[in-house]
Amino acid sequence: MTEKEKLKAYLKEKGISKNKFYTLTGFSIGFLDSGRSLGADKVKIIINKFPDLSLDWLIMDQGPMLTPPSSRGVSYDMGGYHIPRLEEPERPYVLSSRLCTGDDDRRIPLYDFEAATGLEPLFEGRTPVSAYLSIPELPRCDGAVKMRGDSMYPLLKAGDMVVYKQVRDCTNIIWGEMYLISFAYDDEQYTTVKYLNRVEGSPDRALLVSYNPHHAPIEIPLSAIRALAIVKASVRFNTMG
């Protein structure tokens, strides 16, 4: 079996859903079903989140799938994989409500967008998770980031948390809705939040519209879009504590 096939076998053995796996690791949806190998950076995250998964079995095809309790919490150095097992505290932002079930599958990873260079590393699981959101009755989402800039002010302001669902195909755009978008424009790459509107007579182009009237609309070809996510919700704190 490939490394990803073995990882899926482990999740099945433990009764862990793919959605829960993506939530806990912060990896992009579809990671388990694309490619064959994991990569050292992904392996480090996986074994820190699932300490009973045997690295010997996963990488070296040796021994049982599950590690005995006595060997958990040790470090490994195997063919370039130096993997310390860490107990990483999870720091959830919980918006209190008696309707909140606490179901791990509904927790939303809040990504450290300051460490990202566009949406692509975010969607590929290469951006660290800084906390988790738990929001009652929210539709299933892929993640959240903190808003930067003022293009959507006053509807959204810097520091607001934008909750999104990744869009994998530009033919699935819902015109007029708000999107988190990375695109190439004039030899530069930009990441922003905009409304996406049709361009009449040009089905292969989109108009990026800000809520802030001081920002002029930008027309781009759909081929310039590098990554896209529809904004499902936003969260704002109005006090410091």
Side-chain angles (χ1 to χ4, degrees):
M1 290 191 293
T2 66
E3 292 170 6
K4 288 192 175 180
E5 287 172 342
K6 286 191 282 188
L7 180 55
K8 286 190 282 188
Y10 165 81
L11 295 175
K12 183 177 180 180
E13 173 71 20
K14 298 288 291 185
I16 300 170
S17 69
K18 287 184 179 181
N19 284 334
K20 185 170 184 178
F21 171 81
Y22 292 135
T23 298
L24 291 174
T25 59
F27 297 166
S28 60
I29 304 299
F31 167 78
L32 288 169
D33 300 311
S34 62
R36 297 166 59 86
S37 62
L38 298 170
D41 56 334
K42 300 291 195 303
V43 171
K44 180 177 179 180
I45 294 171
I46 289 166
I47 68 166
N48 285 335
K49 293 298 183 182
F50 306 100
D52 63 344
L53 174 59
S54 169
L55 185 62
D56 292 332
W57 175 78
L58 182 64
I59 302 300
M60 306 297 290
D61 292 318
Q62 297 176 358
M65 175 191 292
L66 304 179
T67 60
S70 61
S71 65
R72 297 171 194 169
V74 301
S75 296
Y76 292 85
D77 194 346
M78 301 165 55
Y81 289 93
H82 178 71
I83 312 293
R85 291 193 185 275
L86 304 175
E87 294 298 328
E88 295 186 80
E90 295 174 355
R91 299 171 293 144
Y93 285 100
V94 178
L95 306 187
S96 61
S97 167
R98 60 188 180 87
L99 297 176
C100 187
T101 64
D103 182 353
D104 283 344
D105 283 348
R106 302 307 295 270
R107 293 190 315 154
I108 304 161
L110 175 66
Y111 291 102
D112 181 7
F113 194 66
E114 295 288 340
T117 53
L119 295 179
E120 291 172 285
L122 187 73
F123 293 165
E124 293 168 2
R126 294 187 280 118
T127 303
V129 176
S130 59
Y132 290 89
L133 307 178
S134 182
I135 303 176
E137 300 183 351
L138 185 71
R140 200 167 292 281
C141 298
D142 292 328
V145 293
K146 288 186 178 179
M147 182 73 182
R148 298 169 65 181
D150 65 349
S151 66
M152 301 303 287
Y153 185 84
L155 186 63
L156 296 173
K157 65 180 183 180
D160 288 356
M161 289 179 279
V162 176
V163 184
Y164 64 83
K165 177 72 174 176
Q166 184 180 355
V167 176
R168 302 180 183 279
D169 187 345
C170 286
T171 62
N172 293 329
I173 291 174
I174 304 174
W175 299 106
E177 291 293 328
M178 189 187 302
Y179 284 86
L180 184 62
I181 179 173
S182 281
F183 63 97
Y185 184 78
D186 196 21
D187 296 325
E188 297 285 344
Q189 180 159 313
Y190 298 87
T191 299
T192 186
V193 176
K194 301 281 187 184
Y195 291 113
L196 261 62
N197 290 345
R198 291 183 185 274
V199 176
E200 291 300 325
S202 300
D204 59 341
R205 301 183 70 83
L207 191 66
L208 278 55
V209 181
S210 301
Y211 191 84
N212 187 335
H214 295 292
H215 290 252
I218 301 172
E219 184 178 322
I220 63 169
L222 293 179
S223 59
I225 298 175
R226 298 291 178 262
L228 188 66
I230 189 169
V231 174
K232 292 283 191 175
S234 63
V235 179
R236 173 178 297 177
F237 290 108
N238 292 313
T239 61
M240 296 297 292

